[in-house]
Amino acid sequence: MNANLKIYVAGHRGMVGSAIVRTLQQQGQTQILTRTHAELDLTDQAAVRAFFAAEKPDHVYLAAAKVGGIHANNTYPADFIYQNLMMEANTIDAAFRCGVKKLLFLGSSCIYPKLAGQPMREDALLTGVRGPTNEPYAIAKIAGIKLCESYNRQFGQSHGVDYRSVMPTNLYGPGDNYHPENAHVIPALIRRFHDAKVNNLSAVAIWGTGTPRREFLYVDDMAQACVHVMNLPQDVYVQNTQPMLSHINVGSGNDLTIQEVAQAIAQIVGYEGRITFDTSKPDGAPRKWMDSARINALGWHARVGLASGLQSAYQDFLANNFPQN
Ligand SMILES: NC(=O)c1ccc[n+]([C@@H]2O[C@H](COP(=O)([O-])OP(=O)(O)OC[C@H]3O[C@@H](n4cnc5c(N)ncnc54)[C@H](OP(=O)(O)O)[C@@H]3O)[C@@H](O)[C@H]2O)c1
């Protein structure tokens, strides 16, 4: 990769954005352009246009987004659809206006239809309805993918525009959100088992039967996938996607039950009490698993196993929540 590129990583303080910065730095990139949310609000069109006109980056990774769990999505649906639409539209259009040829957008496996066949292939997108909980977020994310495709279709030939999208599975790792109410499965369980350990609780109850299967990917593997997809030769990307079906799934390829995940986390955290299952609570979909054959065929594979990924995540949790440790 050309080390002289000027690369803008939007959302560089988030879990994924910070991992992309780490990966780019490990690969020798020295001109990484970042702005905090306070310095540049991506929902502000004039500010975004001024930033791009002044900085003229070569590559853009769009890892800024308003993200949250079920509670936040239910409580703030207007924020989720409006802010994500604005961030994507402003960033992608401003990039185009100042001549950016390459941009990578991040979708999410949670925008596939609720009843998509398993494993979920790229062509499952828009084949069915989402659940109501995250529909506003999903619509905005789908719009981001369609923005990239539409700029490619209209301006690919004339302006050399080459905007790509990846679709990550559930991610975890350093920089995750461990909020007691809003966290995803892995960070939530890390917090709960840690709290149970320090408070000597004899049991931790987990919602549901523990049998649903979920897929998880360590965030640095995801970041490497982002850089890999961004740097694929254009003819290779075009041959492996379609103009209106251009996103590429990124998953570990392994799914496991919630019970197995919980046991693995309890072991890493050192919690020796019982794990029980509150079967009066709902389970959600029995299985959510991505078909990652496309990106595997393009030369990327997950490298970090669950045990070592969880170990790094727990160290990050301790360092950020209990710096005195
Ligand atoms: N985490 C996962 O499991 C997962 C799974 C699939 C896909 N993804 C996708 O990966 C992307 C990044 O997710 P993440 O987990 O890294 O999220 P995150 O940790 O919440 O980071 C999001 C970043 O976006 C920034 N941001 C939000 N609104 C902004 C605005 N108006 N202007 C400028 N910056 C703004 C945030 O800055 P502030 O904190 O300062 O607001 C933060 O740095 C998202 O597109 C998400 O859909 C994540």
Side-chain angles (χ1 to χ4, degrees), residues 196-237:
K197 181 179 81 167
V198 298
N199 293 308
N200 287 317
L201 300 185
S202 60
V204 170
I206 292 176
W207 273 33
T209 62
T211 57
R213 301 184 72 84
R214 295 290 182 267
E215 181 183 22
F216 299 96
L217 181 68
Y218 188 65
V219 70
D220 286 47
D221 275 341
M222 180 65 216
Q224 277 164 20
C226 290
V227 176
H228 185 82
V229 169
M230 178 72 114
N231 293 318
L232 287 170
Q234 190 173 10
D235 57 333
V236 173
Y237 187 77

Side-chain angles (χ1 to χ4, degrees), residues 8 47-57 60 90-91 94-95 98 100:
Y8 172 43
V48 175
R49 284 188 181 174
F51 165 75
F52 272 90
E55 295 291 348
K56 294 191 169 36
V60 175
N90 290 341
T91 306
C98 85
V100 172

Side-chain angles (χ1 to χ4, degrees), residues 79-101:
D79 291 351
F80 275 85
I81 191 163
Y82 173 77
Q83 292 184 24
N84 283 308
L85 283 172
M86 293 300 284
M87 278 189 247
E88 297 155 11
N90 290 341
T91 306
I92 292 168
D93 184 68
F96 167 67
R97 284 168 182 260
C98 85
V100 172
K101 301 282 190 284

Side-chain angles (χ1 to χ4, degrees), residues 300-314:
W300 173 91
H301 292 86
R303 291 188 190 158
V304 180
L306 188 71
S308 86
L310 289 176
Q311 189 66 255
S312 304
Y314 185 48

Side-chain angles (χ1 to χ4, degrees), residues 153-190:
R153 291 168 59 215
Q154 189 171 339
F155 302 117
Q157 291 281 334
S158 57
H159 293 70
V161 166
D162 181 5
Y163 296 169
R164 306 176 178 183
S165 300
V166 284
M167 203 76 115
T169 188
N170 303 302
L171 306 173
Y172 72 98
D176 213 338
N177 167 13
Y178 298 96
H179 190 279
E181 282 169 17
N182 293 333
H184 292 133
V185 177
I186 285 184
L189 289 179
I190 287 176

Side-chain angles (χ1 to χ4, degrees), residues 251-274:
S252 61
N254 301 313
D255 66 341
L256 63 173
T257 66
I258 295 296
Q259 179 172 10
E260 289 166 334
V261 182
Q263 286 165 339
I265 294 173
Q267 191 174 3
I268 297 287
V269 169
Y271 174 68
E272 292 176 346
R274 283 182 306 122

Side-chain angles (χ1 to χ4, degrees), residues 14-16 37 40-42 63-65 67 87 107-108 137 141 169 171:
M15 177 167 72
V16 178
H37 188 166
L40 177 63
D41 181 351
L42 293 170
V67 301
M87 278 189 247
S108 172
Y137 174 80
K141 281 284 176 190
T169 188
L171 306 173

